[in-house]
Amino acid sequence: MNLQHLMPNRKKDVPIYLQLYRRYREAIALGKLSPGDRVPSVRSLASELNLARGTVEAAYQMLASEGYFVTRGAAGTIVSSELVKLVEQNNPVHMFASPASPRPQIQSATCKPLPFQLGLPALDAFPRKAWARLAGRNVRTLETVAMTCPDPAGYEPLRRSIATYLGISRGISCSHEQVFVTAGYRGALELVRHTLLQVGQTGWYEDPGYILARQFLEHAGMRLIPIPVDEEGIDVRAGQQRGADASFVIVTPTHQSPMGVALSLPRRLELLEWAKRRNVWVIEDDYDSEFRYHGHPLPALKSLDRGKRVLYTGTFSKVLFPGLRLAYLVVPASQVLKFRETINHLPGPGSILPQAMVADFMEQGHFARHLRKMRSLYATRRRYLVDALTQTMGTRLNVQPQAGGIHVLAHLNTSQCDKTLSATAEANGLAIQALSNWQVKKSSQSGLLMGFANFTTAEEAIVSAQRLETLMGHQYV
Ligand SMILES: Cc1ncc(COP(=O)(O)O)c(C=O)c1O
């Protein structure tokens, strides 16, 4: 391909890196560049087109983060071979997708997560060496009993480590007998549903709230009543009025998903008192309490549970990585036998090996070290994103100062629709989510949910924020 075809137009008001990025995408869509083709290095293209290296680098980074390019270190950068299907299916118009067109799902194994991707921890900072050592050690030494008849409640040393960790860090006093290891959070919900709930029963659900929990419970035959969330968390009084006959409540008290507020102490006490009086089960989803940037970590709702109505769930998805599919459920001591009976009829937490590795990871101090490191790393990466959004968007976005978690919520100060904007962003490789999509009832609240954990530099955050700004400005779709 003639490199002059990539030459940006300096008179246009579109930034040079963005023009370069688009030229490459166009070249791929038109077949001028094929999957597997090697592209010039940043240095040589910058010199050929007389551009700053940083400009070319920014375009290459965008192309790599969207899966168009694969970087292979000293072997150079190539057009991803995963693009074959995409090129066959799309013409250039589709490549510059409209909000209605599907997002190009072309992340290859070597790709970084998409910019702003929600729910993902910093994958680049995962301690792979320690993890690999523990894998080797456990493959060599796993006891026969664990290899032959694993406990369906989970690997006992892991359950003990979780109980100890929860006592120290979440104020939860429990024995390992009360801890059940599950296949992700949905494994925990499934266990609760089969043990304590009947199909058709009613439960409160935070609105806005975690979509996957809603979908899972509705699919399992539960009836969910949306209860509004304000700056003190779920509105318990509204819940008592709208869902007086509820059998369960599902809440994220430490860091409401997705609004980020904490359930106030008066509401916690009110909820627990009501649950005790009405024999209601409270499912506490404590999915990312480990990450807090100011103030003290809040104790879990479970730590106040005198009436023994709280079923506490935690996950390793945010503190380690979601592909592990490991979470846990802590049940009141009085319910342990019931849960033990149910687990014999469910698939359980899966393979023993990852459980044994996580147990060692916790016991040998890697877990505490990793959390300390991640807290400080996330505080930095969160600043990258908040600064980048403030710099590029000014007053068009109102970034909410959340005390914890690994995403930010930014309200739109413009009249733009968050759903259209997020669909446009998604179609252009930015994994931003619309707050309205997390809501059951229509409301005037709209905003953008953005993950920050995988912005490794301030520049990366700025490049992504500028891309969003361009899309917002043009609303080109
Ligand atoms: C609100 C909320 N709850 C729970 C989870 C944990 O889900 P899992 O353990 O299935 O990965 C997540 C993960 O993103 C979440 O966002």
Side-chain angles (χ1 to χ4, degrees):
M1 178 188 165
N2 183 344
L3 292 186
Q4 290 309 312
H5 286 146
L6 295 170
M7 179 65 93
N9 178 349
R10 288 178 193 276
K11 291 199 188 122
K12 272 193 176 176
D13 59 359
V14 179
I16 303 281
Y17 75 90
L18 205 54
Q19 291 188 45
L20 190 56
Y21 155 84
R22 289 180 186 164
R23 296 259 151 93
Y24 263 120
R25 282 182 44 159
E26 212 168 64
I28 293 168
L30 293 172
K32 289 183 185 160
L33 275 174
S34 304
D37 279 359
R38 195 169 161 161
V39 296
S41 68
V42 169
R43 184 201 293 252
S44 67
L45 189 63
S47 124
E48 184 76 27
L49 301 183
N50 200 18
L51 299 173
R53 284 219 333 236
T55 305
V56 180
E57 224 156 54
Y60 275 37
Q61 254 179 28
M62 278 166 68
L63 289 155
S65 71
E66 290 181 15
Y68 289 93
F69 282 3
V70 175
T71 43
R72 301 178 308 171
T77 299
I78 58 164
V79 177
S80 167
S81 24
E82 309 243 331
L83 285 170
V84 175
K85 283 187 226 107
L86 194 79
V87 171
E88 279 165 2
Q89 287 162 8
N90 290 282
N91 60 34
V93 176
H94 286 114
M95 300 291 276
F96 296 92
S98 75
S101 64
R103 148 180 160 199
Q105 293 283 359
I106 47 171
Q107 267 186 285
S108 74
T110 51
C111 269
K112 279 178 58 134
L114 292 173
F116 303 112
Q117 201 153 328
L118 276 191
L120 274 190
L123 298 181
D124 61 306
F126 184 72
R128 280 183 189 262
K129 271 196 190 147
W131 190 246
R133 261 199 319 277
L134 296 180
R137 196 185 85 83
N138 276 289
V139 167
R140 285 193 302 276
T141 62
L142 201 61
E143 325 89 89
T144 315
V145 63
M147 290 173 79
T148 49
C149 43
D151 186 340
Y155 186 55
E156 190 179 310
L158 176 58
R159 294 164 64 213
R160 287 183 185 277
S161 295
I162 292 170
T164 307
Y165 164 70
L166 293 179
I168 296 167
S169 75
R170 307 298 297 126
I172 296 173
S173 162
C174 65
S175 82
H176 75 278
E177 298 285 352
Q178 292 168 258
V179 177
F180 292 78
V181 181
T182 61
Y185 174 54
R186 279 168 284 183
L189 289 181
E190 183 177 46
L191 190 49
V192 172
R193 153 56 208 105
H194 281 274
T195 312
L196 299 175
L197 307 177
Q198 310 293 322
V199 169
Q201 278 183 329
T202 303
W204 301 1
Y205 167 83
E206 293 168 323
D207 189 20
Y210 184 42
I211 305 174
L212 295 183
R214 165 155 55 104
Q215 289 172 343
F216 179 88
L217 289 168
E218 284 180 344
H219 189 258
M222 313 312 294
R223 288 199 317 115
L224 295 179
I225 306 170
I227 307 297
V229 169
D230 60 23
E231 60 287 345
E232 283 189 66
I234 192 167
D235 185 340
V236 176
R237 294 267 159 86
Q240 289 166 350
Q241 282 158 13
R242 296 177 197 185
D245 64 338
S247 307
F248 68 97
V249 171
I250 183 159
V251 273
T252 47
T254 305
H255 185 234
Q256 203 277 333
S257 171
M259 302 302 285
V261 294
L263 187 61
S264 67
L265 185 60
R267 288 209 184 155
R268 285 175 187 233
L269 297 175
E270 203 176 352
L271 176 62
L272 291 175
E273 195 279 323
W274 178 79
K276 182 177 167 200
R277 198 157 26 89
R278 306 293 292 257
N279 283 337
V280 167
W281 293 111
V282 178
I283 303 170
E284 174 175 17
D285 175 7
D286 203 27
Y287 64 105
D288 72 358
S289 59
E290 291 82 1
F291 306 119
R292 209 174 160 81
Y293 312 108
H294 32 88
H296 292 292
L298 300 170
L301 181 66
K302 175 80 184 158
S303 68
L304 301 170
D305 179 28
R306 307 280 167 263
K308 312 293 179 218
R309 302 306 302 175
V310 177
L311 305 153
Y312 174 90
T313 69
T315 178
F316 288 105
S317 289
K318 309 273 165 142
V319 285
L320 297 180
F321 57 94
L324 256 184
R325 304 313 310 131
L326 285 180
Y328 45 91
L329 171 70
V330 180
V331 308
S334 57
Q335 304 300 317
V336 167
L337 277 182
K338 255 189 171 175
F339 274 85
R340 275 240 156 240
E341 276 164 28
T342 313
I343 53 176
N344 294 321
H345 310 293
L346 291 176
S351 169
I352 203 76
L353 193 59
Q355 298 181 57
M357 288 165 64
V358 176
D360 277 358
F361 196 80
M362 295 179 91
E363 239 164 66
Q364 295 179 14
H366 299 291
F367 190 67
R369 258 195 307 281
H370 182 57
L371 284 185
R372 264 199 309 276
K373 188 175 142 197
M374 289 297 102
R375 276 185 201 117
S376 125
L377 185 76
Y378 288 151
T380 305
R381 293 187 176 184
R382 181 171 174 264
R383 207 170 44 246
Y384 290 159
L385 177 60
V386 173
D387 288 351
L389 291 173
T390 315
Q391 264 178 43
T392 51
M393 310 283 176
T395 52
R396 276 178 291 166
L397 281 187
N398 179 10
V399 182
Q400 297 299 295
Q402 297 197 12
I406 53 175
H407 74 264
V408 298
L409 166 63
H411 288 297
L412 289 163
N413 286 339
T414 63
S415 57
Q416 281 162 308
C417 161
D418 61 351
K419 286 188 187 178
T420 312
L421 201 51
S422 78
T424 305
E426 213 188 325
N428 285 276
L430 301 179
I432 286 172
Q433 294 201 22
L435 177 60
S436 337
N437 282 333
W438 291 54
Q439 278 166 303
V440 178
K441 287 239 159 97
K442 270 217 159 77
S443 101
S444 55
Q445 293 208 65
S446 77
L448 303 176
L449 296 164
M450 298 177 255
F452 56 75
N454 285 284
F455 285 124
T456 55
T457 60
E459 291 68 38
E460 252 182 49
I462 287 175
V463 167
S464 299
Q466 283 172 342
R467 288 174 61 193
L468 176 62
E469 199 271 337
T470 308
L471 294 172
M472 275 180 85
H474 292 191
Q475 269 283 299
Y476 89 89
V477 277

